[in-house]
């Protein structure tokens, strides 16, 4: 379903297929302490693994990994993954590179571009995600994009000795409306 790896152009951001040219940026993203907390990433990361990861994403027709580019620089990634073709469903995740990318509308526009692509060029019916309950900024952006809270996974993340819930959200094709303009 995701064999085509498009470039999606918005007003503030461009989404481009990831490749090895973004590996150092990915490494910076996944090692940023605030990004790790917001994504619940406990693992260790290394630069060579980042290179390999981004070098191989174009080979996977069951996922779409896109770099978020603003003002010519990598500011994050947005991904459709965990494809369930039989149920026309997948998951979405997004991560911005940190404080220099937060609060500038990059995530909102990237999500809008990706949902527009998914719901107008594929047969997808449902896109789901999980967000930690303490991430109010992300929850607000997801709701603005059309995601609906479905439930709570209690004590899903142990971070710095404290338990945190994860909120499950989704957007369905019949409910989704683009932020700017009509469904085409």
């Amino acid at each position: 379903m995701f064999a085509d790896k498009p470039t999606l152009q918005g007003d503030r951001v461009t989404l481009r297929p990831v490749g090895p040219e973004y590996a150092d940026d990915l490494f910076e993203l996944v090692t940023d302490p605030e990004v790790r907390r917001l994504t619940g990433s406990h693992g260790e990361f290394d630069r060579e693994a980042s290179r390999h990861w981004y070098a191989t994403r174009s080979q996977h027709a069951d996922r779409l990994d896109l770099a978020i580019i603003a003002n010519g620089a990598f500011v994050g990634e947005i991904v459709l993954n965990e494809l369930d073709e039989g149920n026309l469903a997948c998951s979405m995740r997004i991560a911005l590179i940190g404080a220099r990318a937060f609060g500038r509308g990059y995530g909102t526009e990237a999500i809008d571009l990706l949902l527009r692509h998914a719901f107008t060029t594929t047969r997808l019916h449902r896109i789901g995600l999980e967000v930690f309950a303490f991430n109010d900024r992300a929850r607000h952006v997801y709701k603005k994009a059309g995601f609906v809270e479905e439930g709570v996974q209690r004590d899903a993340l142990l971070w710095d000795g404290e338990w945190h819930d994860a909120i499950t959200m989704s957007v369905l094709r019949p409910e989704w409306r683009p932020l700017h303009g009509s469904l085409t």
Side-chain angles (χ1 to χ4, degrees):
M1 187 169 294
F2 301 127
D4 178 41
K5 309 297 185 189
T7 295
L8 307 174
Q9 183 65 52
D11 294 330
R12 283 175 276 185
V13 300
T14 301
L15 306 183
R16 291 192 183 125
V18 299
E21 68 274 21
Y22 299 117
D24 288 337
D25 299 308
L26 173 66
F27 184 73
E28 181 184 350
L29 174 80
V30 299
T31 57
D32 179 273
E34 181 66 1
V35 172
R36 289 174 63 107
R37 183 181 75 84
L38 293 173
T39 59
S41 299
H42 290 292
E44 294 299 317
F45 301 94
D46 80 24
R47 197 172 298 276
E48 191 53 41
S50 297
R51 279 192 186 91
H52 177 74
W53 181 259
Y54 265 12
T56 60
R57 296 308 87 199
S58 66
Q59 301 165 16
H60 297 270
D62 64 342
R63 58 184 296 132
L64 179 60
D65 296 74
L66 299 171
I68 304 169
I69 308 298
N71 301 315
F74 179 98
V75 295
E77 71 169 5
I78 189 165
V79 177
L80 293 176
N81 62 359
E82 299 177 4
L83 178 63
D84 178 350
E85 263 190 278
N87 290 309
L88 301 176
C90 70
S91 294
M92 186 195 87
R93 67 177 168 79
I94 183 172
L96 297 178
I97 204 156
R100 74 174 189 257
F102 294 158
R104 291 176 171 77
Y106 300 151
T108 298
E109 187 173 67
I111 293 167
D112 185 48
L113 287 169
L114 189 68
L115 294 180
R116 182 183 304 272
H117 172 74
F119 287 139
T120 62
T121 67
T122 76
R123 299 177 319 126
L124 282 174
H125 175 75
R126 180 182 193 282
I127 299 174
L129 60 81
E130 293 176 8
V131 59
F132 295 112
F134 59 76
N135 194 344
D136 293 327
R137 180 178 51 232
R139 289 171 63 195
H140 171 76
V141 169
Y142 297 145
K143 287 177 185 178
K144 190 163 85 170
F147 284 85
V148 174
E149 292 188 3
E150 297 177 321
V152 176
Q153 297 175 43
R154 299 176 307 142
D155 289 354
L157 173 68
L158 178 61
W159 196 265
D160 287 338
E162 292 185 38
W163 288 104
H164 302 278
D165 295 343
I167 310 297
T168 303
M169 302 178 80
S170 74
V171 59
L172 305 179
R173 176 192 293 269
E175 299 169 343
W176 175 78
R177 297 292 174 264
L179 294 177
H180 310 286
S182 62
L183 187 61
T184 57

